[in-house]
Amino acid sequence: MTHLIDAASLAAALTASTPPRVLDVRWKLGGPPGAQEYAAGHIPGAVYVDLDTELAGHGLPTDGRHPLPTPEDFQDAVRGWGLDDGDEVVVYDDVSGTSAARAWWLLRHAGFASVRVLDGGLAAWRAAGGALETAANIPERGTATVAYGSLPTIDADSAAGFPAAGVLLDARAGERFRGEVEPVDPRAGHIPGAVSAPTTENLAADGTLLPADVLADRFAALGVTQDAPVAVYCGSGVTAAHEILALEVAGFRAALYPGSFSAWSNDAQRPVAMGA
């Protein structure tokens, strides 16, 4: 299965009789919603997706900052983007896919078979000479049906025991893993037994994903094999989806801990480890 599409291929696909549905998923941790950036210029035909309200639900602090939306709420959002069952979808952002991958993961988890991330994001589109438009796209409401379960997930109890039988990767920046800084969550550090694997290190200098063989070598060096289960978490389950994308490109299947460290660190009964 192809999980990425380059800018030239997307430009060609958009001229086809049945072009893919394009979703703009611009979002940054602590930053303003991406709606303003979308309004300033987006890929022609793209529909804006609000990560905080459409790709996440709301719950207790122990559910994390971006718990998965309910299937009913996500289906409502998906239909609002104009999606029908069987549609091909391309998602992009302006942070090398680290936000758009949340939409990629959720749509696949919900049963969409063809979802690709624009490799290199909006920067790659611009570099390839791609046009931008400013008019908002409000599509006719779609009819897609959503059923979660196509991708694996784990909960906090599973995350606690995961390192004993597999590899639990922490996709956050190394300084957050080590507990040197913690900008948003109540406690610093990481889940005991986890391995630091910042997802930004899966990217080349131009913001595209590293080649599959290079990614495979990277994950192998972190202890990932075909013989043991792999799971990923981050701060709130957003950039972890990007790590899962990189793992799939490299040939590995991984589970997501949706609550991630934001859920874990809000539960005083859960231990937190510090250091490398």
Side-chain angles (χ1 to χ4, degrees):
M1 182 183 296
T2 302
H3 302 298
L4 301 172
I5 185 170
D6 62 38
S9 298
L10 176 58
L14 290 177
T15 67
S17 57
T18 307
R21 303 282 190 166
V22 181
L23 303 179
D24 183 309
V25 196
R26 277 184 267 186
W27 176 88
K28 295 181 182 71
L29 178 64
Q36 293 178 345
E37 285 83 358
Y38 172 84
H42 50 266
I43 293 175
V47 174
Y48 176 66
V49 173
D50 189 305
L51 187 147
D52 284 319
T53 63
E54 296 181 301
L55 300 180
H58 304 281
L60 299 172
T62 48
D63 294 323
R65 279 181 283 113
H66 290 110
L68 301 185
T70 66
E72 295 78 15
D73 285 347
F74 190 55
Q75 180 171 279
D76 185 59
V78 163
R79 291 179 176 182
W81 307 332
L83 300 190
D84 298 318
D85 291 329
D87 278 350
E88 293 189 5
V89 184
V90 174
V91 298
Y92 75 91
D93 58 28
D94 59 355
V95 283
S96 304
T98 54
S99 298
R102 170 73 171 209
W104 167 84
W105 187 94
L106 256 176
L107 285 165
R108 291 186 60 232
H109 185 52
F112 280 79
S114 179
V115 189
R116 290 176 288 177
V117 177
L118 175 59
D119 198 16
L122 198 60
W125 178 261
R126 287 192 177 110
L132 297 178
E133 66 178 13
T134 56
N137 291 296
I138 310 297
E140 182 179 340
R141 192 166 178 80
T143 59
T145 53
V146 160
Y148 284 172
S150 294
L151 296 181
T153 61
I154 64 170
D155 59 15
D157 288 339
S158 296
F162 208 90
V167 180
L168 180 63
L169 298 177
D170 184 319
R172 299 173 301 159
E175 57 268 26
R176 289 184 70 192
F177 175 89
R178 295 186 296 271
E180 295 164 3
V181 298
E182 183 44 65
V184 283
D185 293 322
R187 290 188 288 164
H190 59 268
I191 298 174
V195 176
S196 180
T199 199
T200 52
E201 294 181 14
N202 295 314
L203 296 168
D206 64 356
T208 58
L209 210 61
L210 291 169
D213 58 340
V214 177
L215 290 170
D217 288 344
R218 184 198 180 210
F219 290 122
L222 293 169
V224 175
T225 70
Q226 297 291 354
D227 301 323
V230 184
V232 188
Y233 74 92
C234 58
S236 67
V238 174
T239 54
H242 184 266
E243 186 111 291
I244 291 174
L245 169 66
L247 282 156
E248 292 219 1
V249 169
F252 300 104
R253 188 169 176 84
L256 173 70
Y257 172 24
S260 284
F261 196 70
S262 58
W264 183 276
S265 61
N266 268 290
D267 185 345
Q269 314 243 350
R270 302 285 179 188
V272 170
M274 304 282 281

